[in-house]
Amino acid sequence: MASSPSPPPPPPPAEEPRGGGGRPPIPPYVKAAAGSLGGVMEACCLQPIDVVKTRLQLDRTGAYRGIAHCGATVARAEGVPALWKGLTPFATHLTLKYALRLGSNAMLQSAFKDPTTGKVSAQGRLASGFGAGVLEALVIVTPFEVVKIRLQQQKGLSTDLLKYKGPIHCAKTIVREEGIFGLWSGASPTVMRNGTNQAAMFTAKNMFDIVLWRKHEGDGKVLLPWQSMVSGFLAGTAGPICTGPFDVVKTRLMAQGRTGDIKYKGMFHAIRTIHAEEGLRALWRGLLPRLMRIPPGQAIMWTVADQVMGFYERTYVQSASV
């Protein structure tokens, strides 16, 4: 009598998603925490350059003759601590922004991963970066930068003579005088700037890690701090050049508010007005201090973030994959 056919073997258990190197991916919350720590360090180191950039972008009369003259004038007229004006909202904004940026980018990349190889295509990386930039612009960047710019544009030594006494008072005053949407002045150019910036930055960081150090995402290799610094610095150079006009328009719209003398009626009107009244080069005003701040800022942030993520990989991912 013929034996009955044996039943088919049970299907193998579903595996957890793996990174490009066959390891479990670093969770988004770990990348978010790594970004937060990097943001704190960046803010403390580079706030004076951001103050100078804002003053130069708001200077319509030629009061400042360049970066060094602007910094020296602010320090001499208002004291050295004035170069750290707006540090509290800036540091808070960077901490939250990098947490949201790295965390949301990780979640978006997981949606674009090839289910069989676990790798993300170049188009998927660009889309993930742009989506993370748009999200951070709407949720974090715009309201914090409105408060920061309003504080930075104030000139003087005496707090009693200033309209805004601090970040909380500034935010309350804006809401009272301009409504809640006053905190989102300049949202359109901010969305365009941050979306483009992050699409370029995440793609460039991954490319430089591969080309310079043969580091592929998820391969378990941890870059040395100076290697992360080089990759982060190079990745941070493209965005400011491409998005200069959006940054200038964002600053002007945020500074003018939504009440009183409204010079600019929106993003495109501001671009046309600045070009007509001040020339094409005015749309890239403040580019040099942006290049002095953003690439070093990315170098600092990625140095810290890569080490935090590397520590997680060494401690948890490698032991789990053994």
Side-chain angles (χ1 to χ4, degrees), residues 53-54 57-58 60 93 137-138 140-151 153 164 170 174 178 181-191 193-194 246-259 264 270:
K53 182 212 75 165
T54 299
Q57 289 182 335
L58 295 174
R60 302 179 190 173
H93 139 249
L138 291 174
I140 304 294
V141 176
T142 303
F144 275 95
E145 288 215 359
V146 168
V147 172
K148 182 197 71 170
I149 286 171
R150 298 289 180 90
L151 290 172
Q153 72 176 342
Y164 306 117
C170 179
I174 292 170
E178 306 171 33
F181 290 109
L183 291 171
W184 274 266
S185 298
S188 296
T190 308
V191 164
R193 182 198 67 170
N194 282 59
F246 294 127
D247 192 63
V248 171
V249 169
K250 168 202 71 81
T251 302
R252 297 285 181 93
L253 290 174
M254 288 178 173
Q256 77 172 1
R258 299 168 66 90
T259 60
Y264 308 113

Side-chain angles (χ1 to χ4, degrees), residues 145-163:
E145 288 215 359
V146 168
V147 172
K148 182 197 71 170
I149 286 171
R150 298 289 180 90
L151 290 172
Q152 288 179 348
Q153 72 176 342
Q154 297 186 127
K155 299 178 182 179
L157 292 170
S158 175
T159 306
D160 296 334
L161 300 178
L162 299 177
K163 179 178 181 179

